[in-house]
Amino acid sequence: MRILVTGANGQLGNEMQVLAKENMQHTYYFTDVEELDICNKDAIWAYIAEKQIELIVNCAAYTAVDKAEDNPELARQLNCEAPKELARAAQFHGAAMIQVSTDYVFDGTAHTPYTEDCEPCPDSVYGTTKLAGEYEVINNCKQAVVIRTAWLYSTFGNNFVKTMLRLGKERDNLGVVFDQIGTPTYANDLAQVIYSIINKGIVPGIYHFSNEGVCSWYDFTVAIHRLAGITSCKVRPLHTAEYPAKANRPAYSVLDKTKIKTTFGIEIPHWEESLERCLEKL
């Protein structure tokens, strides 16, 4: 299969490149903005036609949650308009598409894990534009899969795990919010699931994926420091109100993964097990 992966320089895109070596039965086209500007409609259509793309994995997005509040038009272009055009081009050429989305499509006021049937209710520009992108992909490409994920980290790029490691070594104390609950997701695990979906066959629809288990950002930080052997930094729990941010964060964003596990026959590791695997590579 001829596969286009956009956003190839990001966390997930890089993990897709790593795992491509274990999935050599496909031909890959890994692109970022230098190779393919997904905000350029003509470029999208020309690239997909020229390379005879059969599947698009869209890992590209505007993910700067706070900056999105000040740049709603740019967020809309990358998170909604670009996926729409990718989906339209995929449909025209008989290709499938996998769109990566986010827990931010929910406002986080629930107290039980969100299923795919829960009504989306975003409370930020980022969440609103990502939800609009979901609708555009599903409505414009019949063979489309949307995967909502949360709290993504990896050995690549800038992310929460790397920041906590750095601050844990630089400071003797650190405040982290304890009243936002969710589940970390190791991007390598998400990439493996995407390959499972590709290899087992597209089953169109919306799916949720994160690692198993539940924690707060405070719990996550404590585990990062413990597993990394950082003992010189005391981690203090903070309320969200003590750590002001421009965009609202979901207070509860645990995703129910039953659908993706049963549809594709996958097992998902616990977040702490995956964190340990990631730290071993750093």
Side-chain angles (χ1 to χ4, degrees), residues 254-266:
V254 180
L255 301 175
D256 188 301
K257 279 85 69 175
T258 303
K259 183 179 177 183
I260 200 167
K261 288 190 285 189
T262 55
T263 302
F264 299 104
I266 60 170

Side-chain angles (χ1 to χ4, degrees), residues 141-160:
C141 180
K142 290 181 179 177
Q143 287 295 105
V145 163
V146 171
I147 305 174
R148 293 172 180 153
T149 192
W151 296 23
L152 202 66
Y153 70 91
S154 78
T155 58
F156 299 99
N158 296 315
N159 55 65
F160 185 83

Side-chain angles (χ1 to χ4, degrees), residues 10 19 42 61 84 90 93 110 117 119 207 227 246 265 276 280:
L19 292 175
D42 293 338
K84 173 185 176 180
H93 289 282
D117 295 327
E119 190 68 30
Y207 298 89
L227 292 171
K246 185 156 284 190
E276 195 164 5
E280 287 171 357

